[in-house]
Amino acid sequence: MNRNGHGRYDGAHSEVPHDLLATTDLVFSGELTPRGEPPSGGVSLGRPLAYVLRDATGGAPAAADTLGTVLLCFPFDLEELPGGCGYRQIELAVTFDDADVRALELHPGPGWGDTDGARVAVFGLGRNRLRWVFRAPEAGGTLRPDGRWTQAVLRLPSFFSEVSGRLGVRGVIEHPLLSGTRAESEVHTRDEVPFRVSRADAWTGAPLGRQAPQPGALALAGFEDPGIRDGQLPPGRQQVCLAVDIEKYSARHNVDMIRLQRALLRVMRAACARAAVDWYSCGRQAQGDGYLLVLPPDTDETRAVPHLMDGLADALAVVNREQSGNAPDGPYLRTRMRAAFHHGIVHEADSGYAGSAVVELFRLLDSDPLRALLTDEHATDLVIAFSDRLYQDLAVHGYEGLSPAGFKQLEVTVKKFTGIAWIRAHPCTGRCREGR
């Protein structure tokens, strides 16, 4: 999709090629233009392409009375800048008009490298506002000014007739100054560009070259509002957080580490299903031998937390039963883990989740008493820590069968953190005892 110099977007309908949504300038942020009037660049936005996805068996698309699953592709093309100038960073932001649209997968995903080595940061899993940020791979480097694309697998609130929204582009341009030095300037599209895709224009299936998501590519589910600037905080919300960590992960060989990471993801998803927590609406941050799950702000924690605990225990039992069956005559190391629950204000920051609640959560998870409990309690595969605040809110009142019985109150000191934790070994529930 090469830039052709016509059909620039000015907020009104323009004559543009059929496959081109708009061509628009990038203008300097702020009131002043940098000295020397360097070029601010431009971008051509292709018309989004839609693919109605088939089901997992390769059958027909979803029936009209079920939720729609659609893959949208957003191609765009950067204007080539004169010699000495280049793009250090470019960001494509997509906002859907329907707040009920949810992103199930994003491509490229967090951790992917682009074809020119650009690093990619992604925000918006589980939400209706998405953002891809392409950064130059090294200091002094710039992005190649050619065509790029992003893709989002969307869950729509109903069998869709059309999807609409707005596109915006921001960037950082490096350019020379008259003094002989170099500087960076922020640029952005003057207005968001509206788009609309109807079902009649959608293809069936998926385009060639679609990347399969990896567990680590689903690590970040944050959204950073494009209006937020340095010095401003992203939104902070009261949320329940769950962190888990696998015992003796680093002592395993490579093949076993891969198996454990797969088992970890499976256990987390199964626990969410048990607790009726929407996996795709959660914030998720993979950490190799551990995982951070941030529950949606509207979660009923009186129901979710007790069932997450049972779900973790049951799923671990299933994983271990299968593993022992696959190696009846050989050495078998059970998958065992520590888990910690806390709630407090959480911010979705640029590279993960931030806030004292998250820090305290991991201090509980890493505490010596919780580690010692897992070592000592050979009959269980799961030990759990509650923050004092969560314990007082939930366990004391016996929600969903949760009882103070079995919890031990301990003072936890990890690095500079000192606080009260309530820990217990969590038994396998009746659902998972049979056949273990």
Side-chain angles (χ1 to χ4, degrees):
M1 183 177 65
N2 295 322
R3 185 179 179 88
N4 52 29
H6 68 272
R8 305 189 77 83
Y9 179 75
D10 58 3
H13 295 289
S14 304
E15 291 295 329
V16 295
H18 178 72
D19 62 346
L20 189 64
L21 180 67
T23 300
T24 182
D25 290 323
L26 296 173
V27 299
F28 287 107
S29 299
E31 298 179 357
L32 299 178
T33 299
R35 292 183 61 185
E37 297 185 356
S40 56
V43 61
S44 295
L45 299 168
R47 292 188 183 278
L49 304 174
Y51 298 81
V52 180
L53 299 184
R54 296 181 180 273
D55 62 25
T57 64
D65 59 349
T66 63
L67 297 177
T69 304
V70 177
L71 175 70
L72 280 189
C73 303
F74 300 96
F76 65 99
D77 193 359
L78 296 174
E79 178 183 68
E80 186 169 355
L81 298 173
C85 301
Y87 298 94
R88 289 285 300 149
Q89 175 177 304
I90 204 73
E91 167 194 312
L92 177 70
V94 182
T95 303
F96 295 99
D97 293 333
D98 190 335
D100 291 328
V101 170
R102 290 291 180 264
L104 305 182
E105 298 175 17
L106 298 175
H107 307 276
W112 289 105
D114 202 31
T115 54
D116 58 356
R119 296 168 295 170
V120 183
V122 181
F123 303 85
L125 274 172
R127 302 181 186 276
N128 75 316
R129 295 184 288 179
L130 318 176
R131 195 164 67 92
W132 288 265
V133 182
F134 299 82
R135 297 188 177 99
E138 58 186 15
T142 56
L143 298 172
R144 190 171 58 225
D146 59 4
R148 297 175 187 269
W149 57 266
T150 64
Q151 295 180 343
V153 178
L154 305 174
R155 184 180 63 183
L156 305 180
S158 62
F159 187 75
F160 88 106
S161 59
E162 98 176 358
V163 181
S164 63
R166 291 155 283 135
L167 300 174
V169 176
R170 306 188 67 86
V172 176
I173 287 180
E174 184 181 73
H175 54 86
L177 297 178
L178 296 177
S179 62
T181 60
R182 301 185 66 79
E184 293 183 352
S185 299
E186 294 185 4
V187 294
H188 61 89
T189 49
R190 191 182 304 276
D191 299 295
E192 291 184 308
V193 178
F195 68 87
R196 194 175 301 274
V197 181
S198 70
R199 180 179 175 80
D201 295 329
W203 300 77
T204 298
L208 294 175
R210 181 185 168 210
Q211 296 170 314
Q214 302 298 319
L218 300 178
L220 298 178
F223 169 72
E224 179 186 335
D225 193 313
I228 293 176
R229 301 290 180 270
D230 289 342
Q232 290 182 293
L233 290 177
R237 302 178 179 90
Q238 284 280 349
Q239 292 174 269
V240 176
C241 302
L242 163 63
V244 299
D245 188 88
I246 298 174
E247 180 192 45
K248 298 179 179 177
Y249 175 85
S250 59
R252 310 294 182 95
H253 54 67
N254 291 356
V255 173
D256 213 27
M257 287 183 180
I258 295 171
R259 179 188 66 80
L260 286 172
Q261 288 199 19
R262 289 174 178 167
L264 173 63
L265 190 64
R266 178 182 170 187
V267 167
M268 297 297 289
R269 292 175 70 104
C272 283
R274 174 72 176 273
V277 172
D278 184 2
W279 173 257
Y280 292 108
S281 295
C282 292
R284 310 190 297 282
Q285 187 168 311
Q287 297 176 284
D289 60 345
Y291 214 90
L292 169 64
L293 195 72
V294 182
L295 275 59
D298 59 352
T299 298
D300 180 354
E301 57 195 80
T302 66
R303 296 177 180 271
V305 172
H307 290 300
L308 282 171
M309 295 168 61
D310 289 343
L312 290 173
D314 288 5
L316 274 174
V318 172
V319 165
N320 283 322
R321 185 164 62 243
E322 292 177 356
Q323 183 65 20
S324 63
N326 292 334
D329 301 322
Y332 164 59
L333 293 176
R334 285 155 50 196
T335 300
R336 308 177 75 218
M337 65 173 56
R338 308 184 313 278
F341 288 88
H342 188 27
H343 61 182
I345 293 178
V346 179
H347 294 274
E348 299 170 356
D350 287 0
S351 60
Y353 289 91
S356 60
V358 177
V359 173
E360 292 174 14
L361 176 74
F362 280 98
R363 295 295 184 257
L364 298 178
L365 185 70
D366 295 334
S367 64
D368 289 338
L370 193 62
R371 291 179 180 273
L373 183 62
L374 186 58
T375 300
D376 296 340
E377 294 287 341
H378 301 287
T380 187
D381 296 328
L382 177 68
V383 294
I384 289 175
F386 272 26
S387 65
D388 185 55
R389 186 194 319 168
L390 193 67
Y391 174 85
Q392 301 297 338
D393 285 348
L394 297 183
V396 169
H397 299 285
Y399 288 111
E400 295 292 309
L402 184 60
S403 168
F407 279 98
K408 298 178 182 178
Q409 180 183 4
L410 295 171
E411 183 175 281
V412 172
T413 300
V414 181
K415 297 183 179 180
K416 296 182 178 180
F417 169 78
T418 299
I420 299 299
W422 296 83
I423 67 175
R424 63 172 286 183
H426 194 78
C428 182
T429 70
R431 294 189 181 187
C432 66
R433 291 184 187 279
E434 182 180 353
R436 183 171 177 183

